[in-house]
Amino acid sequence: ELEKTPQVVEGTQANPKRVLYIFTDPECPYCHLAWKALQPYEAAGLQVRWVMVAVIKPSSLPKAVEILGSADKTATFRSMESNHGKPWTATLKMEPGKAASIQKGLESNAILMERFKFGGTPGFVWKDEKGEVHLQAGMPKLSELTRITGLPRQKISDPELARFQ
């Protein structure tokens, strides 16, 4: 069910070393930090599937709809993450029926997030090398990313992430 959710795929496309699902809200500051922390892991072979929800602020919904309605979801998502916290104006024009369909998908994602017992975002879901499903609520310590991603520790020097060392 998680594989079929409205999502944004980032990182390694062909033969990823691990696939990580993260429930994310466009307005979530901790999701933004998770995005920043995972960029080196994506370069090292991780695929991240960002499962969009709109639960934090009223502006979450139009941002999530714009991301998922975009012709290039990944580029739109990356642009919003790169500009996180800065003023934003919707740029995508779409038919009301398409926007309503995307909104239904976001509502389904929020219900699925609740079924995983995540009270907020980010919520990490992955399978380890044995195929066992694991969950992590909230932004993990950077040292935990090796366990979560199944990859060697990557160099992360962003000062904004220092408190997660």
Side-chain angles (χ1 to χ4, degrees), residues 1-2 5-6 23-25 51-55 102-121 125 135:
E1 189 174 348
L2 189 55
T5 61
F23 287 94
T24 186
D25 184 298
V51 179
M52 303 300 299
V53 296
V55 296
I102 293 170
Q103 188 170 341
K104 278 184 144 184
L106 290 165
E107 291 166 3
S108 295
N109 284 358
I111 291 167
L112 185 58
M113 184 177 88
E114 289 175 8
R115 287 181 34 213
F116 275 105
K117 308 265 190 266
F118 290 131
T121 55
V125 181
L135 307 175

Side-chain angles (χ1 to χ4, degrees), residues 56-122:
I56 293 182
K57 294 181 177 179
S59 56
S60 297
L61 181 60
K63 284 183 174 184
V65 168
E66 179 151 340
I67 291 167
L68 293 176
S70 170
D72 187 343
K73 295 175 186 67
T74 303
T76 303
F77 176 73
R78 292 181 72 77
S79 175
M80 281 197 194
E81 286 301 327
S82 295
N83 293 296
H84 188 81
K86 295 176 184 166
W88 170 83
T89 304
T91 58
L92 183 67
K93 306 292 184 225
M94 71 177 76
E95 298 172 16
K98 182 176 180 182
S101 175
I102 293 170
Q103 188 170 341
K104 278 184 144 184
L106 290 165
E107 291 166 3
S108 295
N109 284 358
I111 291 167
L112 185 58
M113 184 177 88
E114 289 175 8
R115 287 181 34 213
F116 275 105
K117 308 265 190 266
F118 290 131
T121 55

Side-chain angles (χ1 to χ4, degrees), residues 8 11 15 17 22 26 28 32 52 62 71 79 88-89 97 107-108 111 115 117 123 127 132 142-143 148 152:
V8 175
N15 302 314
K17 295 178 182 172
I22 303 176
C28 172
H32 174 66
M52 303 300 299
S79 175
W88 170 83
T89 304
E107 291 166 3
S108 295
I111 291 167
R115 287 181 34 213
K117 308 265 190 266
K127 285 184 181 178
E132 294 180 30
L142 298 180
S143 60
I148 293 170

